Amino acid sequence: MKQNKQQLRCGYCGRPAILRPASEIYHDPRKNGYVYACSHYPACDAYVSVFPDSKIPMGTLAGSALRQKRIQAHQTFDQLWLSGIFSRDQAYRWLSYKLGLPLSQTHIALCSNYLCDQLIMESQKVLKNNRQRSCVA
Ligand SMILES: [Zn+2]
């Protein structure tokens, strides 16, 4: 069998990730699509979603603590463009600059725990500054 160089591995235990139906991982038959889960799942609770209608992973495999952190980071970051401070494009450009990552690598699903913390901190700074500004005006 041909070895796939791009094979995704679990960053926690080093085992290869395998494509599984999302409904199995989320225990929800209504979930469509697939996720890459650690081949040692559920003993090793690490997985990552794929982009809709594809088998391309959205980022690196995450265990439950990192998944929660990424959700929190996304919610904080999304406020930047949902509130109209930035457009969505501007927000990702700003984030890529703040994290020192190329724009193509600026995905919250690729962020480590440390980068998520940085992202939350930087996003909160912008949100706070803009709130103050609108209070004065
Ligand atoms: Zn694993």
Short mmCIF file of all heavy atoms in Angstrom, two decimals, residues 10 13 38 44, ligand 1:
data_model
loop_
_atom_site.label_atom_id
_atom_site.label_comp_id
_atom_site.label_asym_id
_atom_site.label_seq_id
_atom_site.Cartn_x
_atom_site.Cartn_y
_atom_site.Cartn_z
N CYS A 10 -2.12 11.96 15.56
CA CYS A 10 -2.58 12.53 16.81
C CYS A 10 -1.39 13.15 17.52
O CYS A 10 -0.36 12.52 17.70
CB CYS A 10 -3.19 11.42 17.65
SG CYS A 10 -3.60 11.95 19.31
N CYS A 13 -0.88 11.21 21.28
CA CYS A 13 -0.31 9.87 21.46
C CYS A 13 0.50 9.41 20.24
O CYS A 13 1.10 8.35 20.27
CB CYS A 13 -1.41 8.87 21.79
SG CYS A 13 -2.50 8.53 20.42
N CYS A 38 -8.41 10.18 16.43
CA CYS A 38 -7.26 9.36 16.78
C CYS A 38 -7.66 7.89 16.66
O CYS A 38 -8.77 7.52 17.05
CB CYS A 38 -6.83 9.69 18.20
SG CYS A 38 -5.49 8.66 18.79
N CYS A 44 -8.13 7.70 23.61
CA CYS A 44 -7.50 9.00 23.39
C CYS A 44 -8.55 9.88 22.72
O CYS A 44 -8.95 9.62 21.59
CB CYS A 44 -6.27 8.84 22.50
SG CYS A 44 -5.49 10.41 22.10
ZN ZN B 1 -4.30 9.99 20.28
#
